[in-house]
């Protein structure tokens, strides 16, 4: 496939990564630190919309698979979702100042539900389009490398600036006022990159019968290889996202106690290094995946990530704040192994499904996959508020107790390790190799020729 075609599709990953991460990036700093809302309430406000998002994904996947429009079955929804996502992103960070704590919680909860509905409309067709762009085993890894490259570009050069921009002197270093303006800016980025991808991507035409959602769910959940791959990704996401918000609070309470400006700067540098190293790792992952196979390289990435969390005890040091950048620099490429290779593996799973059902159902698989992921993420978002509370973090005081700081660091080390070990064990069981996939493609091509 041409460089231009893969690049234009992959630009949509910038919109995807902003929509997927902006709430988890800004919600706790704005609503807990800036507005003094209980972290447990914000945990619920983060968790419930994710559950709603998970439920709507299979519906959107089935709608997309069954759509027969002249513009395609994926791109029209990407276009609509990008526009709606941009508008709602702006509204997320504009709670009326006259509301009570309960009122602000309800405002954030309702707006988040609407935002994640728009995200579903965009992301499910976007991911399905990537799965079906090529039939080639190695070219799929290349496509997902492009997608991950742009995803990491957004993570490196766009997401890290959110908190930093909100704290600019132009807003009087006022996080609440800054978030109102920055939300509009990031909403515009969501709309622009999503629309570009929708307009300039290309789709394959599949002349096949429509399938109802109950039968689609039955076929999908009966695919053991798909469920195994989903559990690998869920384990990684739960392990990492459970502690991701703690980086901000560890900086605010341990690295730079109660210094919001330095914490925002550290957060900016941390996320920038994280994103840049993810970008630099993509071509290496693409080469290694094609040279040694997807499964062995995925295992290597998981091991790298697993080892870094125990190391974080020494790398998050108030005497040497820059050491935390080493953690970001090594964890990011390790996670890029996961995002590139599991996405390529998911396209292989769709071939296995076509061999059994005779249908191309990337929308169904992509949506059920994200359903399982988002259920895990929803649980994590709920956990994150309780983790802060259990650790003893008090949002109403400026100086945290030493016990609370110690507990935050302890959670950051040990909680991810449980899930990373599970992901490694599950990866050993994954059955689809390059040789197996070549056999499946031969069978599919033979079937199509006979038809």
């Amino acid at each position: 496939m041409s460089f231009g075609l893969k690049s234009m599709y992959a630009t949509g990953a910038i919109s995807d990564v902003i929509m997927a991460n902006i709430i988890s990036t800004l919600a706790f700093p704005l609503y807990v630190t800036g507005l003094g809302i209980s972290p447990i309430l914000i945990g619920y406000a983060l968790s419930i919309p994710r559950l709603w998002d998970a439920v709507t994904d299979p519906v959107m996947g089935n709608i997309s698979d069954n759509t027969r429009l002249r513009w395609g079955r994926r791109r029209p929804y990407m276009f609509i979702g990008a526009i709606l996502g941009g508008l709602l992103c702006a509204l997320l960070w504009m709670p009326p100042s006259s509301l009570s704590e309960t009122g602000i919680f309800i405002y954030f909860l309702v707006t988040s539900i609407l935002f994640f509905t728009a995200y579903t409309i965009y992301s499910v067709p976007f991911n399905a389009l990537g799965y079906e762009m090529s039939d080639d085993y190695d070219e799929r890894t290349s496509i997902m490398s492009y997608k991950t490259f742009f995803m990491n570009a957004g993570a490196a050069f766009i997401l890290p600036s959110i908190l930093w921009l909100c704290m600019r002197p132009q807003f009087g270093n006022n996080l609440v006022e800054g978030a109102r303006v920055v939300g509009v800016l990031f909403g515009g980025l969501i709309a622009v990159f999503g629309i570009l991808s929708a307009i300039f991507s290309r789709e394959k035409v599949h002349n096949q019968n429509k399938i109802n959602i109950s039968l689609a769910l039955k076929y999908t959940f009966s695919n053991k290889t798909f469920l195994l791959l989903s559990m690998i990704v869920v384990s990684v996401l739960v392990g990492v996202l459970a502690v991701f918000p703690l980086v901000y609070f560890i900086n605010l309470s341990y690295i730079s106690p109660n210094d919001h400006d330095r914490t925002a700067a550290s957060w900016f540098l941390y996320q920038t290094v994280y994103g840049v190293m993810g970008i630099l790792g993509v071509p290496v992952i693409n080469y290694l995946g094609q040279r040694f196979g997807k499964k062995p390289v995925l295992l290597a990435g998981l091991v790298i990530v697993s080892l870094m969390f125990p190391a974080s005890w020494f790398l998050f040091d108030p005497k040497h704040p820059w050491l935390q950048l080493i953690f970001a620099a090594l964890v990011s490429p390790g996670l890029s192994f996961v995002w590139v290779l599991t996405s390529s593996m998911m396209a292989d799973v769709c071939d296995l499904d076509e061999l059994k059902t005779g249908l191309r159902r990337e929308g169904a698989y992509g949506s059920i996959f994200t359903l399982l992921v988002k259920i895990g993420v929803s649980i994590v978002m709920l956990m994150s508020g309780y983790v802060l509370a259990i650790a003893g973090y008090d949002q109403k005081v400026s100086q945290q107790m030493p016990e609370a700081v110690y507990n935050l660091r302890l959670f950051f080390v040990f909680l991810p390790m449980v899930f990373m070990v599970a992901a490694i064990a599950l990866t050993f069981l994954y059955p689809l190799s390059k040789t197996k996939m070549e056999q499946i493609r031969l069978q599919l091509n033979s079937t199509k020729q006979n038809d």
Side-chain angles (χ1 to χ4, degrees):
M1 295 182 65
S2 70
F3 169 83
L5 184 58
K6 286 188 281 191
S7 296
M8 289 315 301
Y9 163 73
T11 56
I14 296 177
S15 297
D16 192 280
V17 76
I18 294 174
M19 284 194 277
N21 292 286
I22 189 168
I23 288 184
S24 59
T25 299
L26 191 54
F28 276 109
L30 174 64
Y31 282 96
V32 176
T33 304
L35 294 171
I37 308 301
S38 164
I40 293 178
L41 281 180
I42 297 305
Y44 277 106
L46 291 172
S47 175
I48 294 171
R50 286 287 187 175
L51 284 174
W52 167 254
D53 188 26
V55 171
T56 57
D57 277 352
V59 177
M60 188 66 237
N62 191 251
I63 291 171
S64 181
D65 280 343
N66 288 331
T67 294
R68 304 291 184 266
L69 296 175
R70 56 179 295 188
W71 303 283
R73 57 179 184 165
R74 316 294 186 198
R75 297 189 302 140
Y77 298 113
M78 291 166 58
F79 187 91
I80 295 168
I83 294 174
L84 292 175
L87 291 172
L88 288 161
C89 178
L91 293 175
L92 275 169
W93 316 112
M94 297 182 179
S97 57
S98 59
L99 294 178
S100 64
E101 181 180 36
T102 302
I104 292 175
F105 161 72
I106 294 172
Y107 176 91
F108 182 49
L109 174 63
V110 172
T111 312
S112 296
I113 289 172
L114 294 174
F115 175 76
F116 278 116
T117 302
Y119 178 45
T120 293
I121 295 171
Y122 175 80
S123 67
V124 170
F126 172 72
N127 289 313
L129 180 58
Y131 298 147
E132 66 186 356
M133 288 178 71
S134 175
D135 295 332
D136 183 80
Y137 179 83
D138 289 326
E139 184 67 8
R140 287 170 171 170
T141 301
S142 177
I143 292 168
M144 295 308 163
S145 296
Y146 276 71
K147 177 184 172 184
T148 305
F149 179 91
F150 279 92
M151 180 182 76
N152 284 331
F157 304 115
I158 297 177
L159 283 174
S161 64
I162 296 175
L163 193 57
W164 181 81
L165 286 171
C166 291
M167 294 296 294
R168 290 307 83 213
Q170 291 85 343
F171 309 121
N173 298 108
N174 187 317
L175 177 62
V176 177
E177 294 302 319
R180 295 176 181 273
V181 178
V182 172
V184 174
L185 172 63
F186 276 76
L189 294 176
I190 289 170
V192 168
F193 286 110
I195 289 171
L196 285 174
S197 182
I199 292 175
F200 293 104
S201 294
R202 292 293 176 267
E203 291 190 49
K204 290 184 177 181
V205 177
H206 297 285
N207 296 316
Q208 60 187 31
N209 295 328
K210 296 183 178 182
I211 182 171
N212 66 60
I213 190 168
S214 61
L215 196 57
L217 290 171
K218 177 183 176 182
Y219 284 155
T220 306
F221 279 108
S222 65
N223 190 322
K224 295 180 180 178
T225 304
F226 163 74
L227 294 176
L228 177 64
L229 184 59
S230 298
M231 289 302 100
I232 294 169
V233 178
V234 169
S235 296
V236 175
L237 277 173
V238 170
V240 173
L241 291 182
V243 297
F244 181 76
L246 298 188
V247 174
Y248 171 81
F249 290 102
I250 289 173
N251 270 276
L252 184 60
S253 61
Y254 180 61
I255 305 295
S256 306
N258 202 36
D259 190 332
H260 291 268
D261 198 40
R262 284 187 63 188
T263 296
S266 297
W267 188 237
F268 175 83
L269 287 173
Y270 176 92
Q271 289 189 296
T272 300
V273 170
Y274 182 95
V276 169
M277 291 305 297
I279 292 171
L280 296 177
V282 166
V284 177
I285 297 165
N286 187 26
Y287 169 77
L288 293 175
Q290 296 188 41
R291 175 69 177 81
F292 298 105
K294 300 173 188 179
K295 178 177 173 177
V297 178
L298 175 59
L299 281 168
L302 291 173
V303 170
I304 292 171
V305 176
S306 298
L307 293 176
M308 289 312 300
F309 282 98
S312 71
W313 186 266
F314 309 98
L315 295 176
F316 284 78
D317 183 354
K319 295 180 180 179
H320 307 285
W322 57 270
L323 284 176
Q324 65 182 294
L325 301 181
I326 297 176
F327 176 86
L330 294 177
V331 165
S332 179
L335 289 174
S336 289
F337 278 73
V338 179
W339 315 142
V340 171
L341 296 170
T342 57
S343 295
S344 182
M345 290 170 165
M346 189 61 67
D348 297 337
V349 169
C350 291
D351 279 0
L352 180 64
D353 176 71
E354 184 183 5
L355 187 64
K356 294 180 178 179
T357 67
L359 299 171
R360 296 301 304 185
R361 301 190 306 114
E362 288 85 357
Y365 275 99
S367 61
I368 302 298
F369 173 68
T370 54
L371 178 147
L372 297 174
V373 168
K374 288 171 182 176
I375 289 175
V377 171
S378 176
I379 295 170
V380 167
M381 292 302 177
L382 181 59
M383 284 172 53
S384 60
Y386 279 101
V387 165
L388 285 171
I390 293 170
Y393 186 89
D394 187 350
Q395 75 276 13
K396 298 186 183 299
V397 302
S398 58
Q399 189 73 35
Q400 300 299 318
M401 297 293 291
E403 293 82 1
V405 176
Y406 179 83
N407 290 337
L408 287 176
R409 297 176 64 209
L410 211 59
F411 273 120
F412 194 80
V413 170
F414 289 105
L415 191 57
M417 288 297 299
V418 176
F419 295 97
M420 296 306 301
V421 169
I424 291 171
L426 291 169
T427 302
F428 275 107
L429 302 176
Y430 181 77
L432 297 181
S433 63
K434 184 173 183 178
T435 301
K436 178 67 174 177
M437 288 310 304
E438 287 173 346
Q439 294 171 354
I440 291 173
R441 284 308 320 170
L442 286 173
Q443 290 178 269
L444 288 173
N445 292 336
S446 175
T447 301
K448 291 177 181 178
Q449 289 175 359
N450 292 334
D451 292 341

